[in-house]
Amino acid sequence: DQEEVELDTVELEELEPPPDSAYAAPIKVAFSYRNPDAPADPVKMYLLDSSTKPIALSQTSLVPLTSGIDCDQGLCMLTSDLRYFVYHLIGTELRIAPITNEQVALPELQLLDATVDSAQVAGQRLAYVSNNSIYYLDLSSGLGAPVELGQVLVTLDDGIDYVGGGIALAERGDSLLIYRYDRGSLAVFQKPLNGDDERFLFRLGIPRGSGSQFTGKNPIVVSQDGNTAVALIEGVTLYDICTTAQACGAVTEGSCLFYTDDQGVQSSNGLCASSERALYAFGLDTEDLGRRCNDDSECDPRHSCAIDPSTLIGTPKKWCLPRRHVVAPRSTQACNIVDRDGFADVLPKLRINQDDRVFFLGFNACYEPNVGRHALVSINLSLDPESLEHVEGPYDHDWGQRFCYDEQEDRWDYPACAIELQDFELAPNGGLVLRASGLNDRLGRELWFIDKDGGKYPATNDIFFEVASLHATSAP
């Protein structure tokens, strides 16, 4: 057992990044915070401004952005420019207010809708679902009236009985996605924000299966030109043709799934399948998705040619589908499946930078009892495995190492810090903001700045592992 050592609190001036750091440019970070000394108090939101010296916040120096609003009882959201605050009491009210002098109070919140099932803010946009209807609001030019864009669940002529759905909104692009799922598949539709008719994009899984593993909550990001989307989708991934589960031994927890048509006829061939979390990349500006193909060359370069499960009765045919990159299994036995450098789970969140690299946070707490081998990862728009880069983490540790504290020098050594990642945001100046814990369990700083060169700087001083969530970053 390692002996616990009382360590002095670092002087605040030691926390500031050097003048040539990416964070010499100002940045604002919004986060919610639970006071460990008063756990029954409302979870408030705070704004950290790096242009205010020193950068580090202490518990006593916190000035709340919200007043009378509990970010634990409802979902607190902010536009990326930190101009609007959105508050959703799950299943009921959706309220909004402009942020004035970096503050917003409960009486200032204007009721948008009293029966909202889900809501999401992306950039300066707001979309929500109320009584199955989809609404959209562009906040870049001020607070106007929401525009109705149609419905989530509708009766279509595809013969499929959809049982659930949802929407996905990105900070750019001229459309949103509508998800509709049945017992075995997920259909994805593109809905223009100008109100034009929706169009079918693609389907994952096998319709009329059993026990759908898909949901309507699949985050997306859109490329800088607005033409390519990447979605993080949890559900069934399909592989090669099979007749029995024994033929699917090369697939993680593989099974052989068969297609049943609307007359109850089942195919003699099936497709190997696994329950997984995967990234899917697809064009928003092409017409080839769902089109027949013989090989990848007949699809858009962003797409691939795969078997259409609805053709398994008779001679199987192929169609163009999004390219995919599997991130993690969806299994209670995930730790028995992944290796030390794999991921057992993934944060349901995506971000994309100015270079069109897609960022996600993978989790792996399978190997060390106290150390999660989590990693922030980026990949290009093509989802090329060769482009995969571990931006931060994972770390492999010997408990005899010094971690963040240099005992010989008797001082904190932040560049040497190892931190367990829990959440992230991209910073407008090329760096990152992370919600993370020091792995020696002595460093109670939850928000970290990572500059574009990889330097680490804790942004909070004595908040001790109680930053509840990270919301947005913006240049002042």
Side-chain angles (χ1 to χ4, degrees):
D1 295 339
Q2 183 171 347
E3 180 183 356
E4 287 295 328
V5 179
E6 289 294 327
L7 302 177
D8 296 331
T9 301
V10 68
E11 294 297 325
L12 290 180
E13 57 265 26
E14 291 186 45
L15 301 177
E16 296 186 24
D20 59 348
S21 165
Y23 288 103
I27 180 176
K28 289 185 177 181
V29 182
F31 63 97
S32 57
Y33 168 66
R34 186 188 305 276
N35 186 347
D37 296 326
D41 286 0
V43 174
K44 298 179 181 180
M45 186 177 287
Y46 298 84
L47 195 61
L48 184 155
D49 187 345
S50 71
S51 63
T52 302
K53 303 297 184 180
I55 292 177
L57 292 178
S58 65
Q59 185 174 327
T60 56
S61 68
L62 289 174
V63 178
L65 183 150
T66 57
S67 174
I69 300 168
D70 192 340
C71 292
D72 192 36
Q73 296 298 315
L75 179 62
C76 293
M77 296 172 282
L78 293 167
T79 55
S80 59
D81 57 3
L82 306 181
R83 291 180 56 203
Y84 286 94
F85 177 87
V86 180
Y87 188 60
H88 180 213
L89 287 173
I90 307 301
T92 57
E93 296 180 350
L94 180 67
R95 294 181 176 270
I96 188 170
I99 298 172
T100 305
N101 296 323
E102 299 186 348
Q103 290 187 327
V104 62
L106 183 61
E108 300 169 4
L109 296 179
Q110 171 185 332
L111 180 66
L112 276 181
D113 197 307
T115 57
V116 173
D117 300 310
S118 65
Q120 52 191 276
V121 172
Q124 299 173 354
R125 300 166 159 186
L126 167 66
Y128 62 93
V129 177
S130 175
N131 291 323
N132 195 44
S133 293
I134 303 166
Y135 295 89
Y136 169 73
L137 187 57
D138 184 353
L139 297 167
S140 62
S141 56
L143 182 57
V147 177
E148 185 174 353
L149 293 179
Q151 295 187 314
V152 176
L153 291 182
V154 294
T155 300
L156 301 175
D157 59 3
D158 56 10
I160 297 174
D161 182 19
Y162 295 103
V163 298
I167 60 173
L169 179 69
E171 64 178 321
R172 65 181 62 85
D174 56 9
S175 59
L176 56 73
L177 299 185
I178 301 176
Y179 298 117
R180 298 181 177 117
Y181 59 89
D182 75 331
R183 290 177 300 167
S185 68
L186 174 74
V188 181
F189 299 80
Q190 182 183 14
K191 176 64 180 182
L193 297 175
N194 63 8
D196 287 351
D197 292 341
E198 67 179 57
R199 69 173 181 130
F200 171 76
L201 291 179
F202 59 90
R203 183 185 308 280
L204 304 176
I206 300 182
R208 290 181 288 273
S210 59
S212 177
Q213 299 179 45
F214 292 101
T215 75
K217 299 178 180 179
N218 306 292
I220 64 167
V221 290
V222 171
S223 60
Q224 299 297 320
D225 63 9
N227 294 331
T228 303
V230 175
L232 176 60
I233 296 178
E234 177 179 301
V236 173
T237 53
L238 300 177
Y239 293 88
D240 297 328
I241 287 181
C242 57
T243 54
T244 65
Q246 287 71 26
C248 302
V251 177
T252 302
E253 291 193 332
S255 60
C256 188
L257 299 184
F258 298 87
Y259 172 73
T260 302
D261 66 15
D262 55 4
Q263 302 300 314
V265 177
Q266 180 176 291
S267 63
S268 56
N269 289 318
L271 290 173
C272 292
S274 181
S275 181
E276 295 173 314
R277 299 171 175 93
L279 297 173
Y280 292 85
F282 51 95
L284 299 172
D285 58 341
T286 64
E287 301 292 334
D288 72 303
L289 285 169
R291 189 180 66 196
R292 291 289 174 227
C293 58
N294 293 304
D295 54 46
D296 290 354
S297 66
E298 298 181 8
C299 300
D300 184 283
R302 293 167 290 188
H303 306 148
S304 61
C305 189
I307 293 174
D308 176 0
S310 67
T311 66
L312 287 172
I313 298 177
T315 302
K317 297 179 176 63
K318 294 183 177 182
W319 58 355
C320 295
L321 284 179
R323 289 192 180 275
R324 75 178 177 223
H325 174 77
V326 175
V327 176
R330 182 181 182 270
S331 172
T332 57
Q333 301 299 314
C335 282
N336 297 327
I337 297 170
V338 301
D339 58 29
R340 289 176 65 87
D341 294 321
F343 298 122
D345 201 351
V346 61
L347 185 71
K349 178 178 188 175
L350 296 177
R351 293 293 183 263
I352 190 167
N353 69 4
Q354 294 296 316
D355 297 323
D356 279 339
R357 290 193 64 84
V358 178
F359 290 72
F360 66 91
L361 179 56
F363 298 126
N364 182 341
C366 301
Y367 288 90
E368 289 85 7
N370 299 308
V371 180
R373 295 176 53 80
H374 311 332
L376 180 64
V377 179
S378 72
I379 193 170
N380 66 11
L381 273 182
S382 302
L383 304 185
D384 179 5
E386 295 297 320
S387 74
L388 202 70
E389 177 186 353
H390 283 63
V391 181
E392 183 67 24
Y395 295 95
D396 192 6
H397 288 294
D398 175 349
W399 283 101
Q401 293 181 356
R402 65 187 181 181
F403 300 101
C404 298
Y405 190 72
D406 187 332
E407 295 180 1
Q408 183 174 352
E409 299 295 331
D410 193 26
R411 66 184 300 275
W412 296 102
D413 183 6
Y414 293 112
C417 280
I419 52 181
E420 182 173 274
L421 309 180
Q422 298 149 356
D423 198 354
F424 75 101
E425 285 289 349
L426 301 188
N429 51 22
L432 301 166
V433 179
L434 303 176
R435 181 167 72 95
S437 301
L439 290 181
N440 58 358
D441 284 338
R442 302 179 198 152
L443 188 61
R445 296 165 178 80
E446 279 282 14
L447 290 183
W448 291 74
F449 288 159
I450 310 295
D451 70 21
K452 61 184 179 181
D453 298 320
K456 306 180 186 72
Y457 308 98
T460 47
N461 190 29
D462 60 354
I463 297 182
F464 295 113
F465 307 100
E466 292 296 336
V467 173
S469 58
L470 183 59
H471 293 274
T473 62
S474 176

